[in-house]
Amino acid sequence: DGGITQSPKYLFRKEGQNVTLSCEQNLNHDAMYWYRQDPGQGLRLIYYSQIVNDFQKGDIAEGYSVSREKKESFPLTVTSAQKNPTAFYLCASSILGDSPLHFGNGTRLTVT
Amino acid sequence: AQSVSQHNHHVILSEAASLELGCNYSYGGTVNLFWYVQYPGQHLQLLLKYFSGDPLVKGIKGFEAEFIKSKFSFNLRKPSVQWSDTAEYFCAVLLNSGYALNFGKGTSLLVTP
């Protein structure tokens, strides 16, 4: 079955450590996205990528970094510079542009 | 600032009641509009979408939404809700000139038996 795989489902880190969240898709979608979901805040866009080796900052990119070396992979690194990293992180993909997003199951990151 | 507003953060309804969730956006150009649903413990799923044509859009599970351009609105409706509709509902907008969806803050719906 085609889909988006995010791993791990739960992640715990100490403050000051960088952590990388995995996102893999086998839908052959060109575009991939990272959103952060906080209670009462909805989904906020962190980064997105329309093609391999290219990505753009979203609304809340500070303290995050991404790479897009392969079409199917779009890992997100939460750096120690992110002031409030504890959140639920959602990866999504789409064919391009105006097509609907397909979401992964998310990774819940807790930083203590 | 451009934004997507969902008026109700929490809605509680009894089974068989009618549902209407409000969504307004503040973008001036051409938009594509979406409603996504997140059932407890599950990933976000597309409920319905509007790109062009008939402003009344029908989605899965008996949901529909009406695009009213003059009001910058895309309200979600269902005539008779079921307990299984308990979920969080997100309105989202894609600007014609944009590349990523902008989401509202979500509405949490609880349907009681």
Side-chain angles (χ1 to χ4, degrees):
Chain A
D1 283 340
I4 300 177
T5 301
Q6 289 187 245
S7 60
K9 189 173 180 179
Y10 299 97
L11 193 53
F12 298 88
R13 280 293 183 273
K14 296 281 188 192
E15 200 173 297
Q17 293 179 331
N18 292 354
V19 59
T20 297
L21 281 59
S22 169
C23 178
E24 303 279 330
Q25 55 101 355
N26 60 4
L27 299 166
N28 200 32
H29 285 171
D30 292 300
M32 296 188 74
Y33 310 82
W34 275 105
Y35 286 89
R36 170 180 170 145
Q37 185 177 10
D38 298 283
Q41 295 290 323
L43 278 73
R44 291 181 289 169
L45 181 66
I46 305 172
Y47 268 98
Y48 65 97
S49 167
Q50 293 177 276
I51 56 172
V52 174
N53 291 324
D54 186 51
F55 46 83
Q56 309 295 330
K57 291 182 180 180
D59 300 320
I60 55 165
E62 186 175 347
Y64 299 98
S65 65
V66 292
S67 63
R68 187 88 187 275
E69 296 177 3
K70 298 185 296 182
K71 186 176 185 177
E72 57 270 22
S73 179
F74 191 41
L76 173 75
T77 296
V78 184
T79 75
S80 56
Q82 167 49 234
K83 291 186 172 60
N84 188 19
T86 294
F88 188 55
Y89 291 88
L90 284 165
C91 179
S93 71
S94 68
I95 296 172
L96 254 186
D98 58 1
S99 63
L101 299 183
H102 294 255
F103 284 89
N105 284 337
T107 292
R108 187 166 298 281
L109 172 65
T110 302
V111 177
T112 58
Chain B
Q2 297 172 330
S3 67
V4 181
S5 299
Q6 291 184 239
H7 313 302
N8 313 99
H9 296 299
H10 299 280
V11 174
I12 301 175
L13 293 173
S14 300
E15 275 194 317
S18 64
L19 170 72
E20 181 159 3
L21 301 182
C23 174
N24 285 88
Y25 61 93
S26 62
Y27 306 101
T30 303
V31 295
N32 295 327
L33 299 157
F34 305 80
W35 274 98
Y36 281 84
V37 60
Q38 189 174 34
Y39 297 105
Q42 296 188 28
H43 62 272
L44 276 155
Q45 303 170 40
L46 180 68
L47 207 49
L48 47 79
K49 62 184 187 287
Y50 171 80
F51 286 178
S52 63
D54 188 345
L56 185 60
V57 179
K58 294 195 185 301
I60 61 172
K61 302 187 181 184
F63 286 91
E64 64 179 32
E66 184 175 13
F67 171 52
I68 303 179
K69 191 175 181 180
S70 61
K71 295 185 178 180
F72 296 90
S73 70
F74 190 55
N75 293 355
L76 181 70
R77 299 195 292 249
K78 186 171 183 178
S80 175
V81 295
Q82 301 171 312
W83 176 79
S84 59
D85 292 324
T86 293
E88 191 148 15
Y89 293 82
F90 294 93
C91 179
V93 175
L94 177 68
L95 297 180
N96 195 38
S97 58
Y99 299 102
L101 287 181
N102 294 289
F103 284 84
K105 292 186 176 182
T107 296
S108 176
L109 171 65
L110 173 63
V111 180
T112 59

